[in-house]
Amino acid sequence: MDERRTVKVSRYLSKHLRHQPERIGLTLDPAGWVEIDTLIAAAAEHGFRFTREELDHVVATNDKRRFAVEGTRIRASQGHSIDVDLGLPPATPPPYLYHGTVAGALDSIRETGLRPMSRHAVHLSADRETATRVGARRGRPVVLAVDAGAMHRDGHVFHVSANGVWLTDGVPPRYLRFADPG
Ligand code: HQG
């Protein structure tokens, strides 16, 4: 399976497992799972054919391990815009987490903090390198540090997805460090 095909199938899975399952007549369960056979059949019916082997290859080789397979089912590990309850247990974050964004968003972020925008939760990274890559999707990256330790002490709830992305409902401005906390 070549790289272009892998990316194409991966994008297709992201779109329908995170954002628009109804576009191909799929219904995800409340935790975001769907039967793999049902997904493959629905995709084929809507003009996009891929095999179980191709799906397994995408799941196994995906750069961010975006998808989880459990038995006969698959789901996206994070990144949903549709309402799902991933059922992840609350987790204790490390003292600092990081968020990659771009300069154009900073005024608004200073005012309202980090918000989930179109996604289900704010996505935070455990390391600066990952946050830099996330920010770079939109332009020259700016990395903010989040005082996750203080948020946690103050009662904010964190979850960590199966692929290591930290999720929380929102980050109020007082927990954001616009300069390196060291
Ligand atoms: C920004 C990708 C203005 C935020 C990545 C970001 C990640 C605000 C954008 C995952 C704001 C939302 C998530 C505020 C946040 N005012 N802008 N108050 N609060 N923003 O894509 O975190 O490839 O929904 O900084 O690698 O960039 O899809 O979130 O620029 O892990 O698997 O609003 O998506 O993973 O953008 O990325 P996104 P994100 P995948």
Side-chain angles (χ1 to χ4, degrees):
M1 195 174 177
D2 70 26
E3 179 62 15
R4 268 186 57 199
R5 172 81 179 153
T6 306
V7 169
K8 194 170 175 198
V9 174
S10 173
R11 293 229 164 107
Y12 189 91
L13 294 179
S14 285
K15 179 169 183 177
H16 297 96
L17 295 177
R18 288 172 166 180
H19 308 300
Q20 296 185 295
E22 74 289 347
R23 236 183 121 257
I24 55 170
L26 273 188
T27 306
L28 310 184
D29 85 356
W33 296 101
V34 68
E35 290 292 327
I36 294 171
D37 289 348
T38 309
L39 166 66
I40 290 175
E45 242 172 66
H46 289 79
F48 188 71
R49 287 176 189 284
F50 58 94
T51 64
R52 173 65 200 255
E53 289 66 36
E54 287 181 308
L55 178 143
D56 287 340
H57 178 81
V58 167
V59 171
T61 63
N62 191 258
D63 56 347
K64 293 188 189 165
R65 294 180 291 123
R66 289 180 178 88
F67 311 104
V69 169
E70 229 180 65
T72 57
R73 305 182 304 167
I74 185 170
R75 75 173 176 185
S77 291
Q78 38 67 230
H80 300 80
S81 56
I82 51 172
D83 193 22
V84 290
D85 178 357
L86 293 173
L88 300 169
T92 302
Y96 283 95
L97 289 168
Y98 301 93
H99 180 84
T101 188
V102 286
L106 289 181
D107 283 350
S108 163
I109 291 173
R110 278 180 206 280
E111 206 166 300
T112 64
L114 292 173
R115 293 185 287 132
M117 310 307 275
S118 63
R119 303 204 198 232
H120 199 237
V122 170
H123 284 49
L124 302 170
S125 310
D127 60 89
R128 286 185 164 278
E129 295 66 39
T130 306
T132 304
R133 279 199 297 278
V134 172
R137 287 150 56 235
R138 299 176 190 283
R140 197 167 150 216
V142 175
V143 173
L144 307 179
V146 172
D147 190 345
M151 281 184 71
H152 186 246
R153 283 193 295 281
D154 293 347
H156 290 270
V157 177
F158 288 83
H159 303 278
V160 60
S161 70
N163 58 340
V165 177
W166 285 86
L167 306 169
T168 193
D169 287 347
V171 179
R174 66 178 173 285
Y175 300 109
L176 289 168
R177 304 290 174 264
F178 292 85
D180 200 324

